[in-house]
Amino acid sequence: MKRRTIRSSGLFGGRRTTTRRESSSLRRRARWWNVFANYRYDSWDMAKFEVCCHKYADLSEYGYGVSILNDSKYGFATVGNTMRLSLLRSSKAPDDNADMGRHTIRWAILPHRGPLGPETVRAAYDFNNPLKVVSTSAGSPLLKAGGGAGGFSVALTGDENLVLDTVKRGEDGEDVGDGELPVRGGRSVIVRVYESLGGRGRGRVATKWAVKSVYKTNLLEDEEEEVRVGDGRFEVDLGPFQLQMYRLQLVD
């Protein structure tokens, strides 16, 4: 069986030997987990200019690593110990004047100890969603909806690799529907949680709203199975990189 020498995934490069069959298997697994190698297995990888990474890209080994955070530029290319972020495409067809003019671009470098962890995920979210100060009166409905000055309407606790990504109204609620979907009785809130680092994650979602029932849903918000809920709390258990949505049916 033919053998080849390829670069290792450490920050300092290095070399190791692998078979063609091992190389193909590693490439398939890397693409399945949305993890991209920093060396080129074959002609497919050599032809790949860059990959799309929203919010951040990271290059790590056991002891330390470096993350590049971004809020609008997603083209990353990493070969060996060099990470590149494409800031402008500047194509000339079909528009000769594409990307001309002054641009304001935000990006940041985040060194960290150990391998990729929840600190990078949190920093990337904060970088994309900077804190905003909003003035309001003490009796504002916004303050009441947020659970008061000292709390949140929905909160996730548990393993740090879990991310509470979205809290939104159900698309088919009787008070928010636009007539394109069958109307569901009552009011509902959709909560989306995902696992961010490639391992199992367990946690608990808690809300201050009066919740009648909770259901797992698919991306179209179709109900799949009921989840046990008590006192506004329910458990979540996700696999590697799993995304799960829940419908919180509120008390009328």
Side-chain angles (χ1 to χ4, degrees):
M1 183 176 293
K2 185 176 180 180
R3 293 182 176 271
R4 66 177 69 182
T5 300
I6 58 178
R7 293 186 181 275
S8 71
S9 58
L11 289 178
F12 296 106
R15 292 181 178 272
R16 69 181 180 87
T17 301
T18 184
T19 64
R20 181 182 297 273
R21 181 177 299 173
E22 291 171 341
S23 174
S24 176
S25 175
L26 287 169
R27 184 179 66 247
R28 287 197 301 270
R29 279 183 284 175
R31 288 173 179 167
W32 174 258
W33 293 118
N34 199 27
V35 176
F36 300 95
N38 63 328
Y39 44 86
R40 292 167 175 168
Y41 288 110
D42 50 28
S43 59
W44 289 16
D45 286 330
M46 292 179 67
K48 187 189 303 178
F49 174 68
E50 60 187 16
V51 296
C52 180
C53 296
H54 287 192
K55 296 185 177 66
Y56 71 90
D58 183 84
L59 181 61
S60 300
E61 59 183 32
Y62 175 76
Y64 73 103
V66 177
S67 301
I68 297 180
L69 314 182
N70 73 89
D71 66 352
S72 60
K73 305 298 178 180
Y74 309 129
F76 281 92
T78 302
V79 178
N81 61 357
T82 301
M83 300 177 68
R84 296 182 297 169
L85 171 62
S86 297
L87 300 182
L88 290 177
R89 184 165 177 263
S90 300
S91 59
K92 292 301 179 183
D95 183 3
D96 288 339
N97 297 316
D99 289 339
M100 295 296 185
R102 182 179 295 274
H103 296 259
T104 300
I105 300 170
R106 296 176 67 245
W107 55 277
I109 297 178
L110 177 66
H112 57 82
R113 293 182 178 179
L116 173 64
E119 297 82 6
T120 290
V121 178
R122 171 58 61 188
Y125 261 86
D126 292 343
F127 190 77
N128 279 261
N129 301 277
L131 184 65
K132 297 180 180 179
V133 178
V134 179
S135 62
T136 184
S137 62
S140 170
L142 292 176
L143 194 60
K144 294 179 180 179
F152 299 95
S153 54
V154 179
L156 171 67
T157 57
D159 293 339
E160 292 185 325
N161 55 333
L162 296 182
V163 177
L164 176 59
D165 179 69
T166 300
V167 179
K168 60 181 286 291
R169 289 299 309 274
E171 295 291 335
D172 54 0
E174 62 183 12
D175 58 336
V176 297
D178 56 7
E180 296 185 0
L181 297 173
V183 176
R184 180 187 302 273
R187 299 175 301 153
S188 65
V189 174
I190 299 296
V191 173
R192 183 166 62 197
V193 180
Y194 76 91
E195 196 287 319
S196 62
L197 295 174
R200 298 203 64 86
R202 294 182 174 87
R204 172 179 293 179
V205 174
T207 176
K208 294 186 177 182
W209 295 321
V211 177
K212 179 168 55 177
S213 58
V214 175
Y215 289 87
K216 288 184 179 180
T217 75
N218 58 22
L219 293 179
L220 297 178
E221 301 182 12
D222 299 322
E223 293 179 358
E224 295 181 334
E225 63 177 281
E226 188 169 5
V227 177
R228 184 176 180 180
V229 59
D231 195 24
R233 297 178 174 85
F234 61 93
E235 305 295 325
V236 297
D237 186 351
L238 273 61
F241 297 120
Q242 181 181 353
L243 181 151
Q244 183 62 60
M245 296 172 63
Y246 301 88
R247 179 190 302 279
L248 281 59
Q249 196 69 32
L250 306 183
V251 175
D252 297 333

